[in-house]
Amino acid sequence: MPSSSLLDKAAKSKYMDLKTFGITQAMYIWVDGSGQSLRCKTRSLDKEIKEISDLPMWNFDGSSTGQAEGSNSDCFLKPCAMFNDPFRGAPNKLVLCEVLSYKMEPVATNKRQTCQEVMARVKDDHPWFGIEQEYTLLDVDGHPFGWPKQGFPGPQGPYYCAVGTGNVYGREVVEAHYRACIYAGITISGTNAEVMPAQWEFQVGPCEGIKMGDHLWMARFLLHRVCEDFGVVASFDPKPMNGDWNGAGCHCNYSTEKMRLPGGFDEINNAVEKLSKRHNYHIQAYDPQGGKDNMRRLTGLHETSSIYDFSSGVANRQASIRIPRHVGEEKCGYLEDRRPSSNCDPYTVTEVIARTTILNEEGDVVLKLNC
């Protein structure tokens, strides 16, 4: 068992109450070379930070995060979004950063820069995104939290949006994370227990443009940090348990201003048509392994579509694209792309949706999922 889960959290509190005499602690956070995990480190600044421009660039050893060679290991952290720190309190900050190489160019897993370029091009369309982030709580041994160690809980059915001992696993983590997100300034809009026991979901959005990726990555970081305090693990694996158990997705709700206006249903249908012609391109972009992670999840079972086929429908949770029933009735609103995996990069997901539906980029790819 990791030592962090054994430490006395109450003992730390007396140190956290000590005065810092005008020093602001800024924790710099970035996506590492895996494209999925986050790293962080803290620096002291002798002033209160009010704007992102108040934060200096920093550097780190990229050879230890899979982002540089050991012979030329310096990478640079460029602050791009700032949030309140719910663990240290005011005036301390959490700073989401882009990673740049020694040439001051984006490293391979820095997907934010191209996303920002695309969002600048489509800003007049006011694209809104809302992402439903599913995840699974695990014990430190990698087994789902609360599950019998030598077996399985009862079959799926009573756990979705559940209440009561035996139906809910880990609500303390969920509530702590929710409050941490609110304090940080993340646009978190809700949370619920999911279909598989120990699986949960939180929703971030609506966010316009680049803010979607910024807010979701920071919400993921906060979840990992909260889990440290409770001695459990948050997994974003799209299919953490084999068998008759739901996987985990990152459904992306999306609209443009025209879609949201009265009569916007035609715009929604146009977007669905464009998405249907680039199914493989989107599948490739919707998980860090080019679709291989999603192969385990998008089987056509457990409220998913088949990874090989595009489909859409009103209120259909087995479709690639779901049109919510109230949107079909009101003839305006948004669509839900149910294909992104739980470990997707939200910068990539939102970028390719904008490229296909607003910039009208065309052309599909051949998936190589069995290589």
Side-chain angles (χ1 to χ4, degrees):
M1 181 178 291
S3 59
S4 62
S5 65
L6 300 175
L7 296 177
D8 184 355
K9 307 300 181 184
K12 186 181 74 169
S13 62
K14 66 180 180 181
Y15 301 101
M16 299 307 291
D17 291 337
L18 295 174
K19 294 180 179 180
T20 55
F21 303 105
I23 297 295
T24 296
Q25 292 173 280
M27 178 174 279
Y28 282 44
I29 300 157
W30 69 97
V31 180
D32 71 8
S34 71
Q36 303 180 59
S37 299
L38 291 156
R39 307 291 181 109
C40 62
K41 65 176 187 173
T42 302
R43 69 184 301 167
S44 298
L45 300 170
D46 60 0
K47 61 180 179 180
E48 185 174 350
I49 306 302
K50 297 182 178 179
E51 305 288 343
I52 198 74
S53 58
D54 294 335
L55 291 158
M57 289 187 65
W58 206 8
N59 58 62
F60 69 97
D61 172 16
S63 69
S64 295
T65 62
Q67 292 168 297
E69 298 293 331
S71 59
N72 191 6
S73 63
D74 280 1
C75 287
F76 295 90
L77 296 171
K78 177 185 176 184
C80 58
M82 184 171 65
F83 299 85
N84 300 321
D85 188 338
F87 306 105
R88 293 172 172 149
N92 304 298
K93 299 295 182 183
L94 302 177
V95 184
L96 189 64
C97 300
E98 289 188 25
V99 179
L100 306 178
S101 70
Y102 73 97
K103 294 181 179 180
M104 291 297 172
E105 297 173 347
V107 299
T109 52
N110 177 358
K111 306 299 184 182
R112 187 181 190 275
Q113 192 159 109
T114 56
C115 180
Q116 188 171 32
E117 290 169 358
V118 167
M119 294 307 168
R121 292 169 64 188
V122 302
K123 67 180 189 315
D124 290 343
D125 291 88
H126 300 287
W128 287 5
F129 302 93
I131 289 185
E132 305 168 27
Q133 176 69 70
E134 295 178 340
Y135 63 95
T136 307
L137 292 177
L138 307 178
D139 210 336
V140 291
D141 60 2
H143 199 61
F145 181 74
W147 285 33
K149 293 301 183 185
Q150 304 301 322
F152 300 90
Q156 296 183 154
Y159 309 110
Y160 173 70
C161 294
V163 63
T165 302
N167 291 333
V168 174
Y169 301 70
R171 191 185 297 277
E172 293 84 353
V173 174
V174 174
E175 294 294 339
H177 174 249
Y178 201 157
R179 288 296 182 93
C181 285
I182 292 172
Y183 181 90
I186 289 168
T187 308
I188 185 168
S189 51
T191 188
N192 60 269
E194 268 299 335
V195 176
M196 187 180 85
Q199 186 185 78
W200 292 84
E201 171 185 302
F202 63 88
Q203 302 92 32
V204 176
C207 295
E208 185 164 331
I210 195 68
K211 287 184 178 181
M212 184 69 257
D214 292 346
H215 283 232
L216 189 63
W217 272 119
M218 187 56 69
R220 287 175 175 177
F221 173 81
L222 293 180
L223 180 60
H224 286 307
R225 276 288 287 107
V226 168
C227 284
E228 284 183 30
D229 287 344
F230 286 95
V232 295
V233 177
S235 170
F236 295 109
D237 190 315
K239 185 69 175 177
M241 295 300 290
N242 293 324
D244 194 18
W245 304 102
N246 275 34
C250 207
H251 306 156
C252 183
N253 299 278
Y254 163 68
S255 67
T256 61
E257 186 173 44
K258 289 180 179 179
M259 294 179 191
R260 297 188 294 269
L261 293 174
F265 201 61
D266 286 343
E267 290 292 327
I268 294 172
N269 285 331
N270 289 339
V272 172
E273 178 65 20
K274 294 172 187 177
L275 291 167
S276 73
K277 295 177 180 178
R278 305 189 85 195
H279 176 64
N280 291 349
Y281 169 76
H282 282 261
I283 288 293
Q284 192 175 73
Y286 282 176
D287 79 51
Q289 307 302 325
K292 292 180 180 180
D293 281 346
N294 247 340
M295 271 190 74
R296 296 180 286 126
R297 169 181 161 259
L298 295 180
T299 62
L301 303 173
H302 303 113
E303 300 183 65
T304 70
S305 59
S306 168
I307 195 169
Y308 299 105
D309 303 307
F310 181 88
S311 57
S312 63
V314 174
N316 186 354
R317 281 181 164 77
Q318 289 186 304
S320 308
I321 304 293
R322 181 180 74 94
I323 307 298
R325 185 169 301 283
H326 72 275
V327 173
E329 293 173 352
E330 296 171 8
K331 304 302 180 185
C332 64
Y334 63 95
L335 61 85
E336 177 194 31
D337 193 332
R338 297 178 59 81
R339 295 171 293 176
S341 67
S342 51
N343 61 344
C344 70
D345 189 322
Y347 294 129
T348 302
V349 170
T350 55
E351 176 186 335
V352 298
I353 289 175
R355 284 184 181 276
T356 297
T357 64
I358 302 177
L359 297 180
N360 298 317
E361 293 185 5
E362 299 179 343
D364 210 353
V365 299
V366 176
L367 288 176
K368 298 179 180 179
L369 300 179
N370 298 312
C371 297

